[in-house]
Amino acid sequence: MSYFDNIKLEKGLYASGNFTKALESLDPAENYKGTSLEGLDAYQRQLKRFGIKVSGSASDAVEKFFKTSDSAVLFPEYVSRAVRQGLEQTDILPGIVASTTVIDGMDYRSITSIPSEEEKELKTVKEGAFIPETSIRTKENLVKLKKRGRSLVASYEAIRYQRLDLFTVTLRQIGAYIARTLLKDAIGVIVSGDSGNAAQVIECETPGTLAYSDLVGFWNGFDPYELNTVIAAPEIMAAMLNMEQFRDAAAGLNFHGKGDMITPLGAKLLKSSAVETGTLIGLDKSAALEMVKAGEVMTEYDKLIDRQLERAVISCTAGFAKIFDGASKVLSV
């Protein structure tokens, strides 16, 4: 049985792309059931081993990570986790992505199925008769993966006395930048498509004016899919919230009291400046978009450990693919 305070930490633990998972293999969580360390993962147990506090008013300074060669190995994981926190706090991708696929390489082909109207209807099959087929095939084009990241530039001397709690705020902001860029990529694929399959654009009855009847018609055009998510440009969001139909007393109490936005026609409403001015995107969240990731948030651990910062790149490589073309549409005001 391995104990967390006897493990030799080395850079090679990052080679698999998942430091915590590699560390867990050396120090399984099951060894700590019924102890005060139950509920902590392998990385958190190592922080406890070296007495490093990364949050709160009593958090340690950055230099605490570099007291020993073993504890220095933990620093890139701290950076990655702080960036992921920022990414998750500002990320609305989970609200529009139907499936997330994590791959080891850079080449990936998604699947597609484009059923005809007749194929969408499950007719009665007589005894011994041929059962209708639905064809699922691999797409001809590869999903385009893009590496998005930020370069962290700072000398160890400049930040060694900086409290980790405050330094985490800066790292979270990097995560927020990555999240916004990934969302922009996702919206680009929804609108323009990934292989000549751009979303259908529906015009409002009166150009330049969004009316409740436009939303009803937009909602009604999704059959057989369900309009359950709407991503709107900020000014379109304001136009919807100011509609009489969305200004009843109960809705107003939720919006003004708790900040819960009114959901038009039962759809979850999201706001993003990544959506083109004067438009809103409607989609069936369960069938519209696939996210493909080449691993999680990556950091250049060599530079963070050996050179003590200086310049290190924090990045995330991901791409998006449409699943069912009819599951997303654009309403142009």
Side-chain angles (χ1 to χ4, degrees):
M1 181 169 61
S2 299
Y3 292 94
F4 73 102
D5 54 351
N6 293 320
I7 293 176
K8 176 62 178 175
L9 300 178
E10 57 184 3
K11 293 187 295 182
L13 292 170
Y14 287 97
S16 66
N18 190 320
F19 176 81
T20 301
K21 185 177 180 180
L23 199 55
E24 285 281 357
S25 67
L26 300 176
D27 183 36
E30 61 187 26
N31 291 342
Y32 302 93
K33 290 183 178 179
T35 72
S36 60
L37 298 176
E38 184 176 9
L40 300 181
D41 62 29
Y43 165 75
Q44 292 168 330
R45 289 193 291 273
Q46 290 301 311
L47 290 181
K48 192 171 184 66
R49 169 188 175 184
F50 294 103
I52 301 174
K53 297 179 181 179
V54 297
S55 61
S57 58
S59 63
D60 290 305
V62 172
E63 68 173 353
K64 190 69 173 287
F65 273 106
F66 298 96
K67 289 292 185 182
T68 70
S69 58
D70 279 326
S71 60
V73 175
L74 298 173
F75 190 63
E77 179 65 10
Y78 154 73
V79 171
S80 293
R81 290 193 178 208
V83 171
R84 283 199 298 270
Q85 286 177 16
L87 198 154
E88 292 166 0
Q89 288 174 359
T90 59
D91 192 11
I92 66 173
L93 279 175
I96 65 175
V97 170
S99 175
T100 299
T101 303
V102 180
I103 62 175
D104 293 329
M106 294 296 291
D107 292 338
Y108 176 79
R109 295 180 189 273
S110 187
I111 59 174
T112 186
S113 177
I114 309 177
S116 63
E117 291 301 318
E118 184 177 353
E119 289 174 333
K120 293 177 184 177
E121 182 180 353
L122 298 184
K123 298 180 180 179
T124 301
V125 179
K126 296 181 180 180
E127 184 177 353
F130 175 76
I131 298 178
E133 298 176 341
T134 295
S135 176
I136 298 177
R137 64 181 186 275
T138 303
K139 288 186 176 182
E140 295 182 358
N141 61 296
L142 295 171
V143 175
K144 297 178 181 178
L145 301 184
K146 298 179 180 179
K147 184 175 182 179
R148 302 293 194 184
R150 303 284 292 188
S151 182
L152 179 62
V153 182
S155 67
Y156 173 63
E157 289 73 17
I159 66 167
R160 60 180 299 186
Y161 299 119
Q162 182 65 63
R163 294 291 174 183
L164 288 167
D165 191 54
L166 181 58
F167 191 49
T168 299
V169 174
T170 302
L171 296 174
R172 284 201 203 108
Q173 195 60 35
I174 293 176
Y177 295 151
I178 295 174
R180 285 194 288 268
T181 306
L182 289 176
L183 177 62
K184 188 174 182 179
D185 290 342
I187 289 175
V189 170
I190 292 173
V191 174
S192 302
D194 56 0
S195 58
N197 52 350
Q200 179 185 0
V201 179
I202 299 171
E203 303 287 342
C204 287
E205 294 179 2
T206 304
T209 302
L210 178 64
Y212 184 69
S213 58
D214 295 317
L215 293 176
V216 172
F218 190 59
W219 167 81
N220 196 45
F222 266 78
D223 186 67
Y225 300 103
E226 176 188 7
L227 174 60
N228 51 35
T229 305
V230 170
I231 318 169
E235 79 283 357
I236 299 300
M237 172 75 78
M240 282 191 287
L241 295 180
N242 281 312
M243 285 183 178
E244 183 179 349
Q245 290 82 357
F246 302 133
R247 289 163 57 187
D248 62 86
L253 284 174
N254 285 333
F255 182 60
H256 294 298
K258 298 187 296 182
D260 294 338
M261 288 181 284
I262 303 95
T263 56
L265 307 172
K268 182 178 181 180
L269 189 57
L270 303 171
K271 180 183 71 171
S272 175
S273 57
V275 179
E276 186 178 350
T277 301
T279 63
L280 66 83
I281 298 170
L283 52 89
D284 185 335
K285 190 261 182 186
S286 66
L289 190 67
E290 176 187 16
M291 182 178 184
V292 182
K293 298 196 297 183
E296 300 295 336
V297 174
M298 301 296 293
T299 59
E300 292 184 341
Y301 56 87
D302 281 323
K303 291 183 179 180
L304 289 175
I305 296 171
D306 298 336
R307 302 182 188 178
Q308 299 176 345
L309 288 185
E310 289 189 5
R311 181 185 296 271
V313 175
I314 303 165
S315 63
C316 179
T317 302
F320 299 89
K322 297 186 76 169
I323 303 176
F324 292 100
D325 295 347
S328 59
K329 301 178 188 295
V330 176
L331 179 63
S332 178
V333 179

